[in-house]
Amino acid sequence: MPAFRYEAIDAAGLTKKGVVNADNARAARTDLRGQGLVPLAVDTISDQVDSSGKVRARGFGDKLSTNELSLFTRQLASLLEASLPLEQAFSALLEQAERPYVRDLVASIRSEVMGGSSLSDALSRHPRDFADIYRALVASGEQIGQLARVLSRLADYIERRNALVAKVRLAFTYPAIVTIVAFAIVIFLLAYVVPQIVSVFANTKQQLPFLTVVMLAISDFVRDYGWIVLIVVVGLAFMWRAALRNPDIRMRWHRWLLTAPLYGKFERSLNTARFASTLAITTGSGVPILRALQTSRDTLNNVAMREQVEDATNSVREGVGLARALSAHKHFPPMLIHMIRAGEVTGTLPAMLERASSAQEQDLERRAMTIAGLLEPLLILVMGVVVLLIELAVLMPIIEINQLVR
């Protein structure tokens, strides 16, 4: 049964907005009149997939945020664990939704479920909001009759992933702010402060120190050609992004990132943590190992490691053990390989993957804090040296004049 977004006026003359389920727009208006409302507008809530299977274009911001997805999953799991039917659970979610887009999304899924579709099929109509791994786990929970349990584990997975992302972002927030402020201060000093102060000495026709001359030249360059440099930098950034669309260039770049000094281990830890956590929840929810590997591969940002997982998947398909298949690639840490091998021998692969995932997340957090801890004093040191050079360029002519006076 389709869902319709409406705007109507009640008996007191107040405007009300909401969602109603009906066979068509006319039936929706009739239903609203039966509730004592005068409909002003009734619009169909469209899915994200059209009749040809292509994803419809959406406006800016029309997407579930990671926090909204986590909240949606946790609430749905709690309602199902309380033995509420799926239809009533979505009715409760519809009442709790705050953002209009979330209300429309929940109403659309609810109408699909009321029309006889399974939850996984209803979610497949919204691929932008619910990734492949999400839909695969929901389908697995429906097949084994443990939808509430699977959704609860899925909520734990999303919450843990959000917490990890928040910690990594927080670790790099301060260095990013320091970098921006440092650039702004240096540009301000070079473009406005240095010329005004040093020009006083230049008018006296006094021979200026070498450092002052160099600083004046840099200042003139920043004032005359700074905007050109900015345009060139932005243009190079866009060219680099366009170049990364080339599969060969992107593959070589991602391979280099895995071996880059200092950052390489962080890149490997980040992708390994995603791979291990996704594989843990998929295998623990009853998803077949080959499908779980394919889903886990799609969560990786590094295409080089994604290719290695694809090779390992082909090896597993041919009968090779997962630990042996992954050990053929050097970028997966030995600890993960050993945990997987122990899980295969003891028949506790999901539990071992969960432990490996937790260890990788802790390692990732530690590396992020280490990199951020190294960047902070380095940025402060560089900023101090630059400001010192600018101050010397300004003070040296003053010192020379004092010596001449004496």
Side-chain angles (χ1 to χ4, degrees), residues 9 34 60 104 116 148 197 214 232 238 299 311 327 329 335 343 370 386:
I9 298 178
F60 178 77
D104 294 349
I197 297 178
V214 171
V232 170
F238 277 103
T299 62
D311 294 340
S327 63
H329 305 285
M335 187 274 296
T370 300
V386 172

Side-chain angles (χ1 to χ4, degrees), residues 10-72:
D10 60 11
L14 300 177
T15 301
K16 298 186 64 176
K17 297 180 180 180
V19 177
V20 62
N21 293 293
D23 293 330
N24 50 51
R26 184 176 180 179
R29 291 188 178 92
T30 303
D31 187 15
L32 291 173
R33 293 189 184 98
Q35 300 177 26
L37 300 175
V38 178
L40 299 177
V42 177
D43 301 318
T44 305
I45 298 176
S46 302
D47 295 331
Q48 293 178 9
V49 178
D50 57 21
S51 58
S52 63
K54 296 180 64 177
V55 179
R56 287 192 176 98
R58 307 293 295 187
F60 178 77
D62 282 352
K63 187 179 184 299
L64 277 184
S65 66
T66 54
N67 290 331
E68 289 173 336
L69 180 62
S70 173
L71 181 61
F72 169 85

Side-chain angles (χ1 to χ4, degrees), residues 235-305:
L236 289 175
F238 277 103
M239 290 175 60
W240 177 244
R241 290 188 62 181
L244 288 180
R245 296 174 185 172
N246 185 300
D248 295 333
I249 297 177
R250 189 179 183 188
M251 178 63 72
R252 289 197 295 268
W253 170 247
H254 283 198
R255 283 175 178 169
W256 180 83
L257 286 179
L258 293 175
T259 58
L262 188 64
Y263 179 76
K265 293 182 178 180
F266 178 82
E267 178 78 4
R268 292 197 298 270
S269 296
L270 174 62
N271 285 273
T272 302
R274 286 182 174 178
F275 174 76
S277 60
T278 306
L279 192 59
I281 188 173
T282 48
T283 54
S285 301
V287 178
I289 184 63
L290 293 177
R291 176 72 182 279
L293 283 171
Q294 292 173 353
T295 304
S296 303
R297 176 203 61 195
D298 294 338
T299 62
L300 299 178
N301 287 336
N302 190 285
V303 295
M305 293 190 70

Side-chain angles (χ1 to χ4, degrees), residues 32-261:
L32 291 173
R33 293 189 184 98
Q35 300 177 26
L37 300 175
V38 178
L40 299 177
V42 177
D43 301 318
T44 305
I45 298 176
S46 302
D47 295 331
Q48 293 178 9
V49 178
D50 57 21
S51 58
S52 63
K54 296 180 64 177
V55 179
R56 287 192 176 98
R58 307 293 295 187
F60 178 77
D62 282 352
K63 187 179 184 299
L64 277 184
S65 66
T66 54
N67 290 331
E68 289 173 336
L69 180 62
S70 173
L71 181 61
F72 169 85
T73 308
R74 177 63 67 190
Q75 290 177 339
L76 183 57
S78 300
L79 292 171
L80 294 180
E81 287 175 346
S83 301
L84 262 70
L86 195 57
E87 178 184 344
Q88 294 184 19
F90 273 101
S91 298
L93 290 177
L94 187 60
E95 295 177 357
Q96 299 177 22
E98 297 180 357
R99 195 157 65 97
Y101 177 76
V102 178
R103 288 198 299 269
D104 294 349
L105 178 65
V106 173
S108 179
I109 298 173
R110 179 176 177 269
S111 65
E112 290 285 337
V113 172
M114 291 177 62
S117 299
S118 64
L119 179 57
S120 57
D121 290 338
L123 296 179
S124 66
R125 304 290 297 178
H126 307 274
R128 182 173 297 185
D129 295 311
F130 303 99
D132 292 339
I133 177 178
Y134 196 103
R135 303 195 303 269
L137 291 173
V138 170
S140 174
E142 290 176 323
Q143 292 173 2
I144 64 177
Q146 297 289 336
L147 181 59
R149 183 177 65 85
V150 171
L151 283 172
S152 180
R153 293 195 59 187
L154 185 55
D156 293 336
Y157 164 77
I158 297 174
E159 290 169 356
R160 189 169 65 247
R161 185 186 62 183
N162 291 347
L164 180 63
V165 171
K167 290 179 181 178
V168 173
R169 287 179 178 174
L170 183 62
F172 290 102
T173 297
Y174 179 74
I177 294 176
V178 171
T179 302
I180 294 173
V181 172
F183 269 104
I185 292 175
V186 170
I187 292 175
F188 174 75
L189 291 176
L190 290 175
Y192 296 100
V193 177
V194 172
Q196 293 181 6
I197 297 178
V198 180
S199 61
V200 176
F201 306 104
N203 294 332
T204 63
K205 297 182 180 181
Q206 173 189 351
Q207 184 177 1
L208 299 176
F210 176 75
L211 180 61
T212 305
V213 174
V214 171
M215 201 60 64
L216 277 175
I218 296 176
S219 175
D220 293 338
F221 180 83
V222 170
R223 297 180 66 184
D224 297 337
Y225 304 103
W227 62 274
I228 298 178
V229 174
L230 179 62
I231 293 176
V232 170
V233 170
V234 173
L236 289 175
F238 277 103
M239 290 175 60
W240 177 244
R241 290 188 62 181
L244 288 180
R245 296 174 185 172
N246 185 300
D248 295 333
I249 297 177
R250 189 179 183 188
M251 178 63 72
R252 289 197 295 268
W253 170 247
H254 283 198
R255 283 175 178 169
W256 180 83
L257 286 179
L258 293 175
T259 58

